[in-house]
């Protein structure tokens, strides 16, 4: 049993911002306990918040492993070698133990792997099982799957819903992810799609039809998380128009309890201009569209320095390879999806890179605070352990101005130099705790109410930090005084002190396999695995979320 005394508790979900005590028993927050029987932590003069949630980070599976092979220099950076912890290495592409420890070290206790090919689900879960401390979940890929195309073409939404539920059960997945819908399939025929109405060549369906069909199926199932979409035309100047058109598709659907679409790493889809030479920000227009519709987003912030782009968006990765003329990997994953990997270094004096950095911050400052989540699309935009840096930039205009002084001139391409918006600490807690929990449908995470999971972080910060003293804010957010996972202290004074295992969440929805039996028989005749061997049989520590 644990008692946290005298801390300033900031819990936006429950409307709490005051000095109070918290009590923990059996991994949950409880109303009250006999203090004499508790371990006591005195948090006087510090803020107490819920554990952070990363809604979108490529932390496990085939892509990150290929990335590690492509970049052996990443393994020259040791991270954890003592304290009874597992060894961990990596600069940006961390090994599995280091991923869990680095999340915990900055106060994050949950992370989502957002792009899992179901064919590789066993591999992905084996790797998720090797990530310590944090809870995990994964999103299977649907946007270029032949099953989906057939059901959408025939307007068989009931079959599509049954197929989604069947896949979630087989893969132990949490929700539905779409990447460049129809574009990856077109890439198999040496092409791409460039609008919501351009059909892929095999089934003749369009991105608009795939997106709306999947939303209809998801809503009929009542899944806790909405469609999670990587929009078409990612990384292309002028793509903000396709992004806004995609956002407007949400108008066809109603859900009073949550968003009907979550658009991920929006920075990469908020570019105006017609070429790299005249590229400028389209973030202001994208933000207005997000604020108007029942959608949510995460930032996809670029961190200047080393990164490795990896995505199921194969055609984009080929274009990136041609642009950078560096290493490149590309993969066709049977009937389901594709992938590509290209290493990159974002440099402050390269105008496009500096502009990408600025666009991400514009998104974080202009989108309504209840609709946006901090992310880097790890490792595409950079390391997830830069979240304290991003939060500090959002809180301090002075910090942004000091950082921009080191970069290529942004005046004509971005409104960031003139933005005087400063997020509060409560805003940051929403963007890193409350919002991702609500977007994912995790009712026991992201807050400190009675019954919530006892994932708690104590920062050595005042309730209202001075934004001009940004160094103190960054230092405190990077080195929590305590991180508590399910009631156990795992980090003290910025150092990991205990190794524990988190859970893997997956969603169980009702389905009838008989309804889709003919399609399963047809398409599995083309697979390299037998249907009975398809899927995941074991997870170290699972929590099933029933629809």
């Amino acid at each position: 049993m644990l008692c946290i005394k005298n801390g300033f508790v900031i819990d936006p979900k429950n409307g709490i911002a005051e000095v109070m005590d918290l009590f923990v028993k059996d991994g949950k927050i409880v109303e009250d306990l006999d203090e004499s029987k508790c371990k006591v932590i005195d948090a006087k003069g510090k803020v107490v918040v819920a554990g952070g949630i990363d809604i979108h980070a490529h932390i496990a599976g085939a892509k990150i492993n290929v990335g590690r092979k492509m970049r052996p220099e990443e393994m020259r950076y040791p991270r954890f070698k003592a304290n009874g912890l597992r060894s961990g290495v990596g600069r940006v592409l961390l090994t599995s133990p280091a991923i869990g420890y680095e999340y915990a070290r900055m106060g994050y206790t949950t992370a989502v792997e957002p792009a899992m090919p179901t064919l590789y689900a066993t591999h992905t879960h084996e790797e998720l099982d090797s990530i310590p401390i944090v809870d995990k979940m994964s999103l299977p890929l649907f946007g270029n799957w032949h099953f989906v195309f057939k059901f959408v073409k025939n307007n068989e939404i009931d079959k599509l819903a049954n197929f989604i539920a069947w896949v979630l059960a087989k893969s132990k997945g949490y929700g539905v992810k779409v990447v460049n819908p129809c574009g990856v399939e077109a890439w198999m025929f040496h092409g791409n799609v460039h609008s919501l109405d351009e059909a892929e060549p095999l089934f003749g369906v369009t991105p608009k039809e795939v997106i709306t069909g999947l939303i209809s199926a998801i809503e009929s199932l009542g899944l806790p998380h909405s469609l999670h979409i990587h929009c078409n035309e990612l990384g292309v100047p002028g793509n903000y128009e396709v992004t806004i058109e995609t956002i407007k598709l949400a108008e066809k659907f109603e859900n009073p309890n949550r968003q009907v679409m979550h658009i991920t790493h929006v920075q990469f889809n908020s570019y105006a201009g017609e070429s790299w030479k005249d590229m400028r920000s389209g973030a202001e227009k994208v933000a207005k569209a997000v604020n108007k519709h029942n959608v949510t987003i995460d930032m996809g912030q670029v961190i200047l320095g080393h990164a490795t782009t990896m995505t199921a968006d194969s055609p984009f990765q080929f274009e990136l390879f041609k642009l950078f003329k560096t290493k490149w990997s590309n993969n066709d994953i049977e009937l389901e999806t594709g992938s590509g990997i290209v290493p990159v270094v974002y440099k402050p004096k390269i105008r496009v890179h500096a502009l990408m950095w600025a666009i991400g911050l514009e998104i974080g400052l202009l989108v309504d605070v209840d609709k946006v989540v901090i992310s880097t699309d790890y490792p595409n935009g950079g390391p997830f352990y830069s979240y304290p840096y991003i939060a500090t930039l959002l809180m301090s205009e002075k910090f942004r101005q000091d950082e921009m002084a080191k970069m290529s001139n942004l005046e004509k391409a971005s409104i960031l130099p003139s933005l005087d918006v400063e997020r509060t600490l409560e805003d940051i807690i929403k963007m890193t705790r409350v919002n991702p929990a609500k977007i994912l449908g995790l009712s026991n995470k992201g807050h400190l109410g009675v019954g919530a999971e006892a994932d708690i972080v104590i920062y050595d910060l005042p309730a209202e930090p001075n934004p001009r003293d940004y160094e103190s804010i960054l230092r405190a957010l990077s080195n929590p005084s305590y991180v508590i996972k399910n009631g156990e202290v795992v980090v003290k004074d910025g150092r990991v002190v205990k190794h524990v295992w988190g859970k893997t969440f997956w969603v169980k929805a009702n389905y009838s396999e008989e309804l889709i039996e003919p399609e399963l028989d047809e398409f599995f005749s083309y697979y390299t695995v037998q249907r009975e061997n398809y899927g995941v049989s074991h997870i170290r520590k699972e929590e099933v979320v029933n629809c």
Side-chain angles (χ1 to χ4, degrees):
M1 295 188 293
L2 179 66
C3 172
I4 301 171
K5 290 182 62 67
N6 305 317
F8 192 93
V9 176
I10 303 179
D11 181 6
K13 180 179 179 180
N14 294 305
I16 296 171
E18 62 183 74
V19 175
M20 62 180 290
D21 299 341
L22 289 179
F23 298 94
V24 174
K25 182 179 180 182
D26 298 329
K28 302 286 186 182
I29 294 174
V30 297
E31 186 76 41
D32 198 7
L33 288 172
D34 183 349
E35 189 180 319
S36 66
K37 297 180 180 179
C38 294
K39 176 182 177 180
V40 176
I41 295 175
D42 188 355
K44 186 176 181 179
K46 301 178 181 181
V47 296
V48 182
V49 303
I53 302 170
D54 192 348
I55 200 168
H56 191 102
H58 300 277
I59 55 174
K63 289 197 302 293
I64 193 167
N65 277 287
V66 173
R68 290 170 181 141
K69 291 177 183 177
M70 288 176 65
R71 304 200 71 176
E73 68 275 13
E74 286 280 332
M75 302 300 108
R76 298 173 188 158
Y77 297 83
R79 287 186 172 271
F80 299 92
K81 297 186 291 185
N83 246 12
L85 305 176
R86 299 174 67 189
S87 63
V89 297
R91 175 177 50 196
V92 176
L93 298 177
L94 309 185
T95 54
S96 298
I99 287 173
Y101 296 149
E102 287 290 356
Y103 268 124
R105 206 167 64 82
M106 65 175 184
Y108 271 65
T109 54
T110 305
V112 178
E113 162 50 57
M116 175 176 67
T118 300
L119 186 63
Y120 295 165
T122 300
H123 175 174
T124 302
H125 280 291
E126 284 291 331
E127 196 161 356
L128 289 174
D129 277 351
S130 68
I131 297 174
I133 301 180
V134 295
D135 293 334
K136 288 86 59 176
M137 58 202 74
S138 56
L139 306 179
L141 289 156
F142 285 86
N144 291 276
W145 208 338
H146 289 191
F147 286 101
V148 174
F149 290 159
K150 183 172 183 178
F151 295 141
V152 167
K153 180 178 182 179
N154 296 334
N155 196 29
E156 296 174 315
I157 302 303
D158 190 30
K159 283 190 172 184
L160 180 58
N162 271 267
F163 178 67
I164 289 171
W166 180 83
V167 170
L168 295 181
K170 284 291 185 180
S171 67
K172 297 193 184 296
Y174 191 82
V176 175
K177 173 68 180 298
V178 171
V179 172
N180 186 9
C182 299
V184 181
E185 178 63 24
W187 170 244
M188 311 305 177
F189 296 85
H190 311 289
N192 197 356
V193 297
H194 302 286
S195 76
L196 294 183
D197 295 309
E198 182 178 349
E200 53 77 35
L202 190 61
F203 290 82
V205 297
T206 67
K208 182 184 294 183
E209 292 169 334
V210 170
I211 293 166
T212 56
L214 284 169
I215 294 176
S216 296
I218 291 165
E219 297 304 304
S220 73
L221 288 168
L223 299 185
H225 185 39
S226 66
L227 181 71
H228 192 113
I229 182 168
H230 157 140
C231 291
N232 300 90
E233 292 288 88
L234 177 136
V236 177
N239 63 12
Y240 81 96
E241 294 179 339
V242 172
T243 305
I244 292 173
E245 289 174 20
T246 304
I247 291 168
K248 288 179 178 177
L249 296 178
E251 294 172 352
K252 301 180 179 180
F253 304 92
E254 291 185 12
N255 188 323
N257 299 314
R258 60 149 171 79
Q259 75 290 343
V260 297
M261 187 190 305
H262 178 78
I263 302 174
T264 191
H265 44 65
V266 168
Q267 176 275 135
F268 292 105
N269 280 91
S270 299
Y271 303 161
E274 298 181 357
S275 69
W276 295 113
K277 289 183 178 180
D278 69 352
M279 175 181 157
R280 59 190 184 277
S281 173
E284 192 171 12
K285 292 180 180 179
V286 170
K288 286 180 180 178
V290 172
N291 294 340
K292 184 179 177 181
H293 294 84
N294 188 19
V295 302
T296 55
I297 61 104
D298 60 81
M299 290 168 59
Q301 178 65 38
V302 159
I303 305 299
L304 299 171
H306 284 273
T308 300
T309 65
M310 53 179 64
T311 171
D313 194 342
S314 307
F316 165 71
Q317 290 295 81
F318 182 61
E319 293 303 316
L320 207 58
F321 159 68
K322 292 193 293 184
L323 195 65
F324 284 101
K325 296 179 174 61
T326 183
K327 298 178 184 178
W328 170 58
S329 170
N330 205 255
N331 192 17
D332 170 15
I333 304 171
E334 302 198 16
L335 284 72
E336 298 183 6
T337 185
S339 68
I341 300 168
V342 177
V344 64
V345 181
Y346 298 112
K347 299 179 179 180
K349 295 300 183 182
I350 294 180
R351 178 183 174 277
V352 169
H353 295 175
L355 184 54
M356 293 166 74
W357 176 90
I359 291 171
L361 293 172
E362 289 177 6
I363 291 290
L365 294 167
L366 294 172
V367 172
D368 289 348
V369 73
D370 294 321
K371 286 174 163 271
V372 58
V373 177
I374 288 175
S375 73
T376 62
D377 185 21
Y378 171 79
N380 289 278
F384 63 79
Y385 54 79
S386 295
Y387 291 168
Y389 167 77
I390 299 170
T392 307
L393 286 166
L394 294 172
M395 294 175 71
S396 173
E397 183 189 6
K398 185 177 188 303
F399 191 21
R400 296 196 297 269
Q401 296 294 341
D402 288 351
E403 290 291 272
M404 281 188 282
K406 307 171 188 175
M407 299 180 191
S408 176
N409 191 304
L410 297 170
E411 289 291 346
K412 295 182 180 180
S414 166
I415 64 170
L416 185 66
S418 62
L419 272 180
D420 58 3
V421 179
E422 291 182 327
R423 294 297 194 188
T424 65
L425 182 57
E426 183 170 327
D427 290 340
I428 296 302
I429 292 164
K430 287 183 177 181
M431 295 168 73
T432 56
R433 275 89 174 162
V434 180
N435 295 353
K438 182 179 179 181
I439 291 166
L440 292 165
L442 297 169
S443 60
N444 289 333
K445 288 183 177 287
H447 68 100
L448 297 173
V450 172
E453 295 190 1
D455 294 353
I456 305 167
V457 186
I458 302 173
Y459 290 115
D460 189 5
L461 272 175
E464 297 182 3
N466 177 4
R468 295 191 66 81
D469 185 13
Y470 58 79
E471 292 178 345
S472 295
I473 298 173
L474 179 57
R475 183 166 54 250
L477 293 178
S478 302
N479 297 281
S481 299
Y482 288 91
V483 178
I484 296 153
K485 176 67 184 143
N486 288 124
E488 296 189 71
V489 175
V490 293
V491 173
K492 185 175 180 181
D493 296 327
R495 295 180 67 244
V496 180
V497 295
K498 188 169 185 178
H499 176 110
V500 299
W501 292 111
K503 299 170 289 190
T504 296
F505 289 78
W506 65 277
V507 168
K508 184 177 182 181
N510 293 325
Y511 66 91
S512 168
E513 192 164 330
E514 291 182 2
L515 186 64
I516 54 174
E517 193 80 33
E519 288 80 11
L520 292 174
D521 285 341
E522 175 191 354
F523 285 115
F524 268 93
S525 66
Y526 304 121
Y527 265 103
T528 57
V529 298
Q530 297 297 313
R531 183 170 148 195
E532 56 267 25
N533 296 327
Y534 189 78
V536 178
S537 59
H538 172 74
I539 293 178
R540 181 195 296 273
K541 192 176 179 182
E542 65 182 3
E543 180 157 329
V544 181
V545 178
N546 290 296
C547 284

